[in-house]
Amino acid sequence: LSNECIVCFHTRVGDSIDADFCGEGTFYKGTIVRCMSYCTYAIVYDDGDVEVGVPELNIRLASHLRSEERRVG
């Protein structure tokens, strides 16, 4: 288990992300708290919910960080 798992946008434990809670199609703000096996992650959402085993396909860089990245790039 690594604290430096790489997703398509080079995320790490502690990074702010948006994740698709329970894979239902709605993304919520949260933080990666652990990288697990098979490219899955443990997420603590800003509302306090916790989800374990979130696949990387259900995670994207936090919306405010994507906006900053577009301005820089």
Side-chain angles (χ1 to χ4, degrees):
L1 301 179
S2 168
N3 285 340
E4 304 263 337
C5 291
I6 302 298
V7 188
C8 60
F9 45 80
H10 306 289
T11 190
R12 296 185 186 143
V13 168
D15 282 354
S16 295
I17 50 87
D18 295 326
D20 182 358
F21 185 72
C22 294
E24 295 179 354
T26 303
F27 283 77
Y28 298 95
K29 295 182 186 309
T31 303
I32 293 178
V33 294
R34 187 169 183 196
C35 296
M36 306 174 74
S37 59
Y38 304 109
C39 296
T40 62
Y41 302 84
I43 308 293
V44 173
Y45 292 93
D46 288 0
D47 67 359
D49 284 341
V50 176
E51 187 175 21
V52 177
V54 180
E56 67 180 357
L57 293 173
N58 291 358
I59 299 171
R60 61 188 183 201
L61 190 59
S63 56
H64 71 280
L65 296 176
R66 288 195 312 271
S67 296
E68 288 175 16
E69 188 176 80
R70 279 195 294 268
R71 277 185 262 142
V72 172

